[in-house]
Amino acid sequence: MRPLFVRRARQLVTLAGSSAAPLVKEKMSDLHIIENGSVWIEHGTIVAVGADDELARQFADRLAEAEVIDAKGKTVTPGLVDPHTHLVYAGSREHEWTMRLGGATYMEIMNAGGGIHATTKATREASEEMLYEESKRRLDQFLLHGVTTVEAKSGYGLSLEHEIKQLEVAKRLDDTHPVDIVSTFLGAHAVPPEWKHDPDEYVRLVIDEMIPEVSRRGLAEFNDVFCERGVFTPDQARLILEAGKEHGLTPKIHADEIEPYGGAELAAEVGAISADHLLRASDEGLRRMAERGVIGVLLPGTAFFLMTKAADARRLIDAGVPVALATDCNPGSSPTVSLPLVMSLACLHMGMTPAEAMAAATINAAHAIGRAHLVGSLEPGKKADLVIFNVPNYMQIMYYYGVNHAETVIKGGKVVVNDGKVYI
Ligand SMILES: N=CN[C@@H](CCC(=O)O)C(=O)O
Ligand SMILES: [Zn+2]
């Protein structure tokens, strides 16, 4: 494999020096940008990062053998990392969206058997092959938007058989698609209709059957619960998250999305790697998250699509909570794959600066899924996951909102997107 030399970026956004711990407070604004910067890549790994003239000197005797990509006038960033998606599902829910536009609420639709239940039905009915094909199309779209690592949750199977099916599809995508997938078990996404008469028995099933089997098969690293009134209580969530820990699954939690419900506090108590949503998290919950280093994964696309007020990122950042951003890609509350659009929304609706949004969608996102040692910044030794955006500075990636500026995507040292087309 020839070395790859990405040269002369107008801005090379490195985020160097942030692999050991997530960025907090004012450190979230320090992107470590190199003007006229270059990256030397060998065997899929970053070997050197620096000013173009320095690298040209350092590799002078090897320049002739390298494949060169000229990024003159453009912005190069680490491959974007999406730490919260529901990637693998079947079907779509545009009819429910139309009902919501007419005044119905998300929870009303779910309690009437729609929402997560509708997607569960479609996902259970889909063959593994169909699920794979549908999810692969979405993954291609993620890649086209510059996303090179994606967390993917189960949670539309809600039975041992179908949760495993979803996680197997995620594993197959990880094996076959350039985007890296990190899997999370979300058996506690909703109580399925067949257990509606006895939700605690469903919790037992998640704990006694699903978690041990998912862990035994090595199909997930994380264990998540939708902790919300009418879904799973904090007590049920605690049992599930503690059980996951016993089987080597690190806790994550959908917390305080619709009302304050003790989710942030619980995340700190169980030592979750992240608490996600957090629109209604209490001050005390945020204080405890900051103390334990729990990352707040914010999902402004979800608030936008549910037409509610977004989480106040400023409040989290000021409290010392490390903030990451994600699409929450799912058919009900956020049917998007555009992490750059989510970054724009974070600036427009959540009080973040473009610099903070960039850190939140790269290195802090990598920390939120335990991948900061591999991706999320451009530093020697890390995976060569890079995006070349056709804009002269990182702010324009978000400023020209809703436009996909990702021109070239490099995954593990290979060009996988060029001129807006996926090459795999
Ligand atoms: N809040 C719960 N789960 C998803 C929505 C899933 C769905 O509506 O299908 C979320 O994170 O927004
Ligand atoms: Zn979610």
Side-chain angles (χ1 to χ4, degrees):
M1 205 176 170
R2 291 165 70 195
L4 178 63
F5 194 19
V6 179
R7 299 193 68 172
R8 291 187 276 263
R10 170 108 174 238
Q11 285 195 339
L12 182 70
V13 179
T14 71
L15 286 137
S18 45
S19 302
L23 296 172
V24 291
K25 293 196 164 173
E26 57 286 342
K27 294 205 181 86
M28 281 190 72
S29 305
D30 200 354
L31 301 182
H32 289 259
I33 293 173
I34 301 173
E35 308 278 339
N36 200 28
S38 298
V39 185
W40 185 272
I41 295 161
E42 286 187 52
H43 305 292
T45 302
I46 297 173
V47 173
V49 178
D52 185 68
D53 51 349
E54 277 168 33
L55 260 62
R57 231 176 295 124
Q58 188 179 344
F59 295 97
D61 53 342
R62 301 193 53 206
L63 276 182
E65 65 176 289
E67 179 189 343
V68 175
I69 297 180
D70 194 348
K72 197 158 185 265
K74 299 174 186 173
T75 300
V76 176
T77 74
L80 303 179
V81 177
D82 191 334
H84 182 141
T85 86
H86 302 255
L87 173 76
V88 180
Y89 64 83
S92 60
R93 305 212 310 255
E94 61 277 17
H95 298 296
E96 286 181 6
W97 178 50
T98 312
M99 283 161 68
R100 283 199 299 102
L101 294 175
T105 70
Y106 178 82
M107 284 313 252
E108 277 166 11
I109 292 170
M110 176 163 161
N111 291 333
I116 294 172
H117 302 301
T119 301
T120 300
K121 187 168 180 293
T123 305
R124 284 178 175 179
E125 283 166 7
S127 68
E128 207 167 307
E129 204 49 41
M130 277 163 64
L131 261 186
Y132 174 84
E133 287 303 328
E134 275 196 44
S135 310
K136 181 187 171 297
R137 275 198 291 279
R138 273 190 285 281
L139 209 50
D140 286 347
Q141 294 287 336
F142 269 110
L143 191 61
L144 284 166
H145 286 84
V147 178
T148 49
T149 304
V150 158
E151 184 257 17
K153 300 176 195 298
S154 64
Y156 292 123
L158 308 184
S159 70
L160 180 61
E161 177 194 350
H162 294 288
E163 285 291 302
I164 299 265
K165 178 174 78 174
Q166 261 191 290
L167 291 167
E168 289 283 7
V169 168
K171 183 170 185 297
R172 198 172 140 209
L173 286 166
D174 183 43
D175 291 343
T176 55
H177 197 280
V179 173
D180 283 324
I181 302 204
V182 177
S183 287
T184 296
F185 170 64
L186 179 57
H189 195 193
V191 176
E194 63 274 21
W195 289 104
K196 218 175 161 182
H197 64 285
D198 195 352
D200 282 330
E201 199 46 39
Y202 181 67
V203 171
R204 277 282 128 229
L205 198 72
V206 169
I207 291 173
D208 293 342
E209 288 187 20
M210 297 192 203
I211 288 176
E213 189 57 17
V214 165
S215 158
R216 193 185 68 75
R217 295 188 188 212
L219 284 173
E221 276 176 54
F222 300 102
N223 180 32
D224 198 343
V225 177
F226 185 11
C227 180
E228 197 70 48
R229 189 179 302 281
V231 193
F232 293 95
T233 65
D235 284 342
Q236 291 171 325
R238 182 182 295 103
L239 289 174
I240 292 166
L241 296 174
E242 290 294 349
K245 276 159 69 175
E246 281 167 29
H247 289 272
L249 304 180
T250 304
K252 278 184 170 279
I253 179 165
H254 282 64
D256 304 317
E257 177 184 358
I258 293 158
E259 57 179 276
Y261 202 44
E265 289 84 343
L266 182 61
E269 179 193 324
V270 300
I273 193 164
S274 75
D276 305 25
H277 284 292
L278 299 173
L279 281 74
R280 315 269 169 206
S282 71
D283 288 340
E284 179 58 18
L286 295 184
R287 196 190 60 72
R288 292 192 204 168
M289 280 177 62
E291 207 171 79
R292 294 250 3 214
V294 181
I295 298 170
V297 176
L298 301 185
L299 312 164
T302 309
F304 174 69
F305 198 71
L306 293 181
M307 299 173 288
T308 52
K309 197 169 175 321
D312 183 354
R314 213 50 291 131
R315 209 174 133 236
L316 271 78
I317 294 172
D318 290 347
V321 175
V323 168
L325 287 170
T327 60
D328 192 19
C329 171
N330 77 75
S333 64
S334 186
T336 187
V337 292
S338 177
L339 194 50
L341 173 61
V342 163
M343 292 157 76
S344 302
L345 293 174
C347 299
L348 293 165
H349 289 170
M350 291 195 334
M352 292 178 85
T353 65
E356 288 167 343
M358 180 53 76
T362 51
I363 193 65
N364 276 10
H367 278 290
I369 52 171
R371 289 295 185 281
H373 57 299
L374 293 174
V375 297
S377 63
L378 301 179
E379 296 176 86
K382 280 202 163 178
K383 236 183 207 191
D385 293 359
L386 283 71
V387 189
I388 304 177
F389 289 98
N390 192 6
V391 285
N393 62 61
Y394 75 87
M395 285 174 277
Q396 285 197 7
I397 297 169
M398 294 159 251
Y399 165 79
Y400 288 117
Y401 72 96
V403 180
N404 184 12
H405 303 282
E407 187 178 72
T408 304
V409 182
I410 296 162
K411 176 70 196 170
K414 270 206 231 127
V415 175
V416 286
V417 170
N418 204 15
D419 264 342
K421 286 191 198 69
V422 178
Y423 293 95
I424 27 182

